[in-house]
Amino acid sequence: WLHEHSDASAELLDLLTTIVIEYMSAQVDNGAHMLQLFEAMGMMIEPAEFDKFALPCLEKIATELKSRHPDVPLMVFSRGASFANEKLSELGYDVVTIDGGVDRSTARDVVGGRTGLQGNYDPAELIEANGKTVETVRSTVRELLESLGPQRLIANLGEGLGGRESPELVNAFVEAVHEESEAMISAEN
C-alpha cells in the first residue's frame, strides 16, 4: 500500500505524525515529565521502507517536541526493529529503548554517545516457575549492568510483563538495579 499509493501514504503519515506531536505535547502540558514514543509495528516493515516512511516521521516528532519542550527527556522504542537503533539515536531523542533481541555487547557502540539506553532485561527471569530466585535475579541484573554499564541506562525490561512474574522477583529486580549500579558507580570513582 505504501508504494502503490505513495501520495496517500505520505498524506496519511504526515497527518498521523501531526496528531502524535499534538498528543504528546498535550501530555507535557498536563504534567508529563518524560515522553516515550513507541513505533509499535517496527517489526512489520522492512528496513528500506522503515528508513523511507517511518524515520522521517520519527525525526519530525523528535524535532518538534524538542523545540516545544527542550527540557523534557524524549525516548523512542522501535519494537522489533533494532536495525534502526543507530539511525534513531541520530534524530534528537535522549534515550533509545532496546528490546530483548538487541545484543548488549554492541548496544552502546550502535548509539554511540548520542543517547542513553533503556532495556533489555528478560522478563522470563522474573518467573518463579522458570526456576528463578532472588539470587538469579541479582546475578542477571549484574550481567545487564556489566554489559550496558550503569550510567546513562534506564534498566528496564526488554518486553512487557506477561502476568506470570513474581512480585517478589520484580521487587528483587528493582532493588538489585539500585544496589548493583550504585556499587559499580562507586567503584568507578
Side-chain angles (χ1 to χ4, degrees), residues 39 42 45-56 58 78 81 83-84:
E39 172 47 85
I45 187 169
E46 294 297 320
E49 281 73 25
F50 190 95
D51 289 354
K52 181 177 180 179
F53 296 104
L55 275 179
L58 296 169
S78 186
F83 59 81

Side-chain angles (χ1 to χ4, degrees), residues 82-83 85 98-111 117 120 144 147-148:
S82 59
F83 59 81
N85 286 348
I98 56 176
D99 63 28
V102 171
D103 180 355
R104 291 180 189 161
S105 69
T106 61
R108 287 279 178 202
D109 292 336
V110 168
V111 300
L117 291 172
N120 73 347
L144 169 83
S147 296
L148 296 176

Side-chain angles (χ1 to χ4, degrees), residues 4-24:
E4 293 174 17
H5 306 280
S6 58
D7 290 341
S9 294
E11 187 177 337
L12 177 61
L13 289 169
D14 190 53
L15 177 63
L16 291 171
T17 298
T18 300
I19 290 169
V20 168
I21 291 166
E22 295 307 322
Y23 179 76
M24 293 183 83

Side-chain angles (χ1 to χ4, degrees), residues 7 35 46 70 75 82-83 86 95 108 113 120 131 145 148-149 159 163 165 168 185 188:
D7 290 341
L35 297 171
E46 294 297 320
M75 301 184 296
S82 59
F83 59 81
E86 181 174 7
V95 176
R108 287 279 178 202
N120 73 347
L145 295 171
L148 296 176
E159 58 184 84
E165 296 79 10
E168 179 186 12
I185 292 167
E188 290 174 359

Side-chain angles (χ1 to χ4, degrees), residues 3-189:
H3 293 289
E4 293 174 17
H5 306 280
S6 58
D7 290 341
S9 294
E11 187 177 337
L12 177 61
L13 289 169
D14 190 53
L15 177 63
L16 291 171
T17 298
T18 300
I19 290 169
V20 168
I21 291 166
E22 295 307 322
Y23 179 76
M24 293 183 83
S25 187
Q27 289 179 336
V28 174
D29 293 341
N30 286 283
H33 297 281
M34 179 181 273
L35 297 171
Q36 179 159 338
L37 177 65
F38 286 82
E39 172 47 85
M41 302 305 288
M43 79 295 266
M44 303 299 287
I45 187 169
E46 294 297 320
E49 281 73 25
F50 190 95
D51 289 354
K52 181 177 180 179
F53 296 104
L55 275 179
C57 299
L58 296 169
E59 182 174 22
K60 183 176 179 181
I61 292 166
T63 301
E64 184 61 28
L65 288 173
K66 280 298 189 180
S67 74
R68 293 182 190 189
H69 311 286
D71 297 327
V72 175
L74 186 57
M75 301 184 296
V76 63
F77 177 44
S78 186
R79 184 171 174 242
S82 59
F83 59 81
N85 286 348
E86 181 174 7
K87 290 177 182 174
L88 291 171
S89 75
E90 298 168 348
L91 299 182
Y93 291 92
D94 300 293
V95 176
V96 171
T97 299
I98 56 176
D99 63 28
V102 171
D103 180 355
R104 291 180 189 161
S105 69
T106 61
R108 287 279 178 202
D109 292 336
V110 168
V111 300
R114 296 177 295 275
T115 69
L117 291 172
Q118 176 177 241
N120 73 347
Y121 191 77
D122 184 354
E125 296 293 331
L126 304 173
I127 300 173
E128 288 175 335
N130 292 348
K132 304 307 177 181
T133 65
V134 170
E135 292 76 26
T136 63
V137 169
R138 180 168 294 280
S139 175
T140 53
V141 163
R142 193 175 306 112
E143 290 171 11
L144 169 83
L145 295 171
E146 287 171 350
S147 296
L148 296 176
Q151 302 281 12
R152 297 190 72 196
L153 173 68
I154 299 171
N156 202 344
L157 304 180
E159 58 184 84
L161 296 173
R164 296 180 24 231
E165 296 79 10
S166 158
E168 179 186 12
L169 296 183
V170 172
N171 186 59
F173 168 75
V174 173
E175 288 182 5
V177 167
H178 288 280
E179 292 167 7
E180 295 293 333
S181 62
E182 185 177 313
M184 287 179 177
I185 292 167
S186 293
E188 290 174 359
N189 295 330

